[in-house]
Amino acid sequence: MDSVKDLNSNKIMDWDKLICDKRLGMEEYHDGRHHTRSDFQRDYDRLIFSSPFRRLQNKTQVFPLPGSIFVHNRLTHSLEVSSVGRSLAHEVAIRLKNKYNSEELNRKFDNLRDIVAAACLCHDLGNPPFGHSGEKSISTFFSEGAGLSLKDQFSPRQWADLVNFEGNANSFRLLTHQFKGRRRGGMAMTYSTLAAIVKYPFTSLHSGPKGKFGFFESEEPIYRKVAAELGIPELEPGKFARHPLVYILEAADDICYQIMDIEDAHKLNILSTGHVHDLFMGFFPESQHERLRKVMAHLSDPNEQIAYLRSGVVGALVEECAETFVKNEDEILSGRFAGTLVGSLPPLLSNAYRKCSETAWKKIYTAPMVVDIELAGHRIISFLMQTLVEAVMHPERNYSGLLFNIIPQQYDVASPTPYGRIQAVLDHVSGMTDVYALDLFRKLNGHSLPAV
């Protein structure tokens, strides 16, 4: 154990505290015993069977939901991120075991893959319909739309929450908030899983030009409780160090959305087979190219060739991100590590990843089918926000009473504060699937009426 103490001597955070299976809202039932199924595995299973997770199957990732060709939605993306995250955490755990050589910590490190797998599974639960444009539509409703007139009713912190609406912060709320009729602790996840999903562990007042933050004002006390239990330091008022496993989740997410978007674009004929071949081959040294070409010569289906290369690319990125994590572990545990694991790749992989990113921005995210869904989504979400916000801010109106009948009872539209009532609207809108949002938009506009 002395060697373990020596390794931890210059670090702010301690793995022994960071890996904690205590459950939010169920702290009094925590017994610390080893069970057949760990609490982190229970987190994963609980999420798989949850309604918010199932709804991800009908939420846009990047491309419109499938017609004749199946592309990724939020659910398939989350499953793949979870798979990659589990593999990456497993690689990290092997290296940490060799580094610390402690029987006690080895048992802790065995849990890394299950914590990360669960965290990856739920990292997008709070994202609204219609992809990332849905987040922007909600934010701009307050910053430049009809919601701007409400600014005087909120504190600066609450207003920052609204004009920077963030899916990651909303995921933390969805997992932890006690909605009406629900149990204390929300979904009662373990402390480590909750901390591992918070990519941006600071308040909206620290969100910066990108508008990223980790928890709303309403959930700040919960995050503080989790951080205190796990020994995550507050670096400055309202801004915390990241839980180390956040870096693994983030890398898995970066790998999946970047590489899988390229593969989807190939299936949709946005990118040619030759173009994607060149992009993916760039991740491998020249010495491996001949072997890769020989294998692909046995695959006559271009989609199979791309899938083969994609699997190799993901494997290479996982391996190198694990090395990067362990190499920078001291800085990570001290809260000093800047950037991301993917952003710290060696030149070969870094250049190949950059080319994929540039291609995605030039060819994919501006493709007509992607822009069309963003434009339609913006119109739909803006209308729903305006209609529902007017209802909760003016509950005395007859139309408001009618609208309250379609809002699930778990959302507190009668909250005594304007912030609470607006959050009820955000809970409802962000939980909608693409299809439900479109259907409700049509009904409220009189374009879709029940049969008479």
Side-chain angles (χ1 to χ4, degrees):
M1 288 301 294
D2 287 341
S3 60
V4 174
K5 289 179 181 178
D6 291 340
L7 285 168
N8 275 310
S9 59
N10 296 318
K11 301 166 186 174
I12 295 176
M13 289 179 278
D14 178 6
W15 283 114
D16 192 49
K17 292 188 68 175
L18 289 166
I19 304 172
C20 172
D21 59 5
K22 187 178 291 186
R23 290 193 175 280
L24 183 69
M26 299 180 65
E27 290 84 355
E28 65 269 30
Y29 300 108
H30 184 253
D31 57 18
R33 292 182 299 166
H34 294 288
H35 300 275
T36 305
R37 206 162 43 111
S38 76
D39 280 294
F40 305 120
Q41 291 171 325
R42 293 173 192 271
D43 278 351
Y44 184 93
D45 296 343
R46 184 170 297 183
L47 288 162
I48 284 285
F49 286 93
S50 70
S51 295
F53 183 73
R54 289 197 299 273
R55 286 198 293 268
L56 294 178
Q57 70 181 311
N58 198 232
K59 287 190 176 186
T60 297
Q61 175 66 16
V62 172
F63 298 103
L65 294 177
S68 58
I69 298 175
F70 190 87
V71 292
H72 288 81
N73 55 39
R74 284 280 177 195
L75 183 136
T76 50
H77 168 72
S78 297
L79 288 169
E80 289 176 352
V81 173
S82 183
S83 177
V84 172
R86 183 191 294 274
S87 297
L88 178 49
H90 179 68
E91 293 291 335
V92 168
I94 291 173
R95 289 162 175 77
L96 290 178
K97 285 181 180 182
N98 291 333
K99 179 177 180 178
Y100 285 89
N101 193 27
S102 160
E103 185 176 342
E104 182 180 347
L105 278 180
N106 283 357
R107 286 196 296 269
K108 291 267 188 176
F109 291 144
D110 283 337
N111 291 308
L112 293 191
R113 57 181 179 267
D114 293 322
I115 298 171
V116 172
C120 289
L121 208 61
C122 62
H123 78 287
D124 272 352
L125 282 189
N127 282 66
F130 305 112
H132 288 292
S133 65
E135 291 174 286
K136 198 65 178 174
S137 297
I138 292 174
S139 297
T140 54
F141 171 80
F142 294 103
S143 63
E144 51 187 68
L148 184 57
S149 63
L150 302 172
K151 183 177 180 179
D152 292 342
Q153 301 194 44
F154 304 99
S155 69
R157 165 70 190 283
Q158 292 170 346
W159 187 247
D161 283 356
L162 300 178
V163 298
N164 296 295
F165 178 84
E166 223 292 320
N168 193 240
N170 202 43
S171 294
F172 188 76
R173 174 176 170 83
L174 187 59
L175 292 171
T176 62
H177 182 67
Q178 185 179 3
F179 292 98
K180 289 174 63 177
R182 301 298 177 91
R183 66 181 172 186
R184 188 164 57 93
M187 291 181 66
M189 308 297 286
T190 62
Y191 280 40
S192 290
T193 297
L194 289 174
I197 75 159
V198 183
K199 289 185 181 181
Y200 320 104
F202 39 82
T203 72
S204 56
L205 295 177
H206 291 278
S207 59
K210 292 186 177 180
K212 299 293 187 182
F213 65 101
F215 40 83
F216 300 117
E217 180 185 71
S218 49
E219 280 69 56
E220 182 175 348
I222 297 175
Y223 185 79
R224 286 186 174 277
K225 181 178 181 178
V226 170
E229 179 69 30
L230 302 180
I232 299 174
E234 188 171 10
L235 304 176
E236 59 183 272
K239 190 170 187 177
F240 294 78
R242 276 178 157 187
H243 189 291
L245 298 185
V246 170
Y247 290 98
I248 298 179
L249 175 147
E250 181 180 54
D253 193 23
D254 288 347
I255 290 169
C256 285
Y257 83 70
Q258 194 69 87
I259 303 306
M260 302 313 299
D261 285 355
I262 296 289
E263 186 174 12
D264 277 349
H266 173 258
K267 290 179 180 178
L268 293 168
N269 295 317
I270 295 173
L271 297 177
S272 68
T273 301
H275 191 174
V276 178
H277 270 186
D278 291 343
L279 287 174
F280 284 177
M281 289 292 275
F283 286 89
F284 305 97
E286 287 283 349
S287 59
Q288 294 184 23
H289 286 194
E290 184 60 31
R291 180 183 62 82
L292 292 171
R293 291 191 186 97
K294 285 182 178 179
V295 173
M296 285 191 293
H298 296 286
L299 303 171
S300 58
D301 185 341
N303 287 328
E304 288 298 316
Q305 293 178 358
I306 298 304
Y308 168 71
L309 286 177
R310 178 257 304 150
S311 66
V313 169
V314 171
L317 290 172
V318 164
E319 186 81 13
E320 196 55 52
C321 283
E323 290 287 344
T324 301
F325 182 95
V326 177
K327 188 186 305 179
N328 293 281
E329 189 214 1
D330 286 355
E331 283 191 282
I332 289 172
L333 289 176
S334 299
R336 299 192 309 265
F337 184 71
T340 66
L341 299 183
V342 166
S344 304
L345 292 169
L348 178 73
L349 295 178
S350 180
N351 289 335
Y353 189 89
R354 176 180 51 78
K355 289 178 181 178
C356 285
S357 182
E358 291 172 351
T359 299
W361 283 107
K362 290 178 182 177
K363 302 287 187 179
I364 299 176
Y365 304 140
T366 56
M369 66 175 66
V370 175
V371 175
D372 286 347
I373 198 73
E374 289 187 357
L375 290 171
H378 179 78
R379 178 72 180 276
I380 293 167
I381 288 179
S382 297
F383 173 81
L384 294 177
M385 286 293 299
Q386 182 168 353
T387 303
L388 295 173
V389 165
E390 285 184 2
V392 298
M393 300 305 286
H394 301 282
E396 72 283 357
R397 295 176 180 173
N398 177 65
Y399 188 53
S400 299
L402 293 174
L403 285 172
F404 291 158
N405 291 323
I406 67 171
I407 299 178
Q409 293 183 357
Q410 63 179 305
Y411 303 135
D412 190 9
V413 295
S415 170
T417 67
Y419 181 64
R421 295 196 294 276
I422 294 297
Q423 280 195 308
V425 172
L426 295 176
D427 291 332
H428 184 37
V429 172
S430 65
M432 293 179 182
T433 63
D434 292 15
V435 170
Y436 179 84
L438 174 59
D439 183 55
L440 185 59
F441 173 80
R442 287 172 172 166
K443 286 178 178 177
L444 295 179
N445 276 291
H447 297 156
S448 176
L449 296 173
V452 293

